[in-house]
Amino acid sequence: MVRKFVEANPLSDPEAAARKLIEIASIIEAVQDSRIYIEPVNRPFLNAGGTPDQYRAALERAVALGRLFQHESGTYVKFTAAGAELFVQTPLFMQ
């Protein structure tokens, strides 16, 4: 019996995938009313090695954690206050 070892995909963990998705969303320029359209987030996630199922799991996890709000149409997301806090830099004098 020949065993093949497959490298574990780091995005198979929903927590890690959600962090990656949020990281990607944070660099996308928001449009009207702080909307971040799904398409510019989806492609980089898939290019990072994620699968469509991992993308869906990551999005669901980010919403469940209260870091992203997804519009009912599914066309865009917005950062919640908790999600936006992840990217607030601490001023140098406070470090």
Side-chain angles (χ1 to χ4, degrees):
M1 172 183 225
V2 176
R3 291 188 177 175
K4 294 184 179 183
F5 295 95
V6 177
E7 280 188 42
N9 182 335
L11 298 176
S12 61
D13 172 32
E15 293 290 328
R19 281 192 301 275
K20 184 65 175 176
L21 184 99
I22 290 169
E23 176 187 320
I24 292 167
S26 74
I27 60 174
I28 303 297
E29 186 174 346
V31 293
Q32 76 183 64
D33 196 26
S34 302
R35 296 176 184 181
I36 301 167
Y37 286 104
I38 288 295
E39 295 85 4
V41 177
N42 183 304
R43 178 55 50 196
F45 185 89
L46 298 176
N47 289 344
T51 66
D53 287 336
Q54 291 168 339
Y55 174 80
R56 280 189 291 280
L59 185 55
E60 288 172 8
R61 186 68 184 146
V63 170
L65 290 171
R67 295 183 179 148
L68 288 178
F69 161 79
Q70 183 179 22
H71 187 263
E72 61 192 31
S73 68
T75 58
Y76 68 85
V77 295
K78 290 183 180 184
F79 277 102
T80 63
E85 283 180 7
L86 296 172
F87 302 101
V88 174
Q89 304 244 341
T90 305
L92 291 175
F93 65 88
M94 297 183 75
Q95 292 182 357

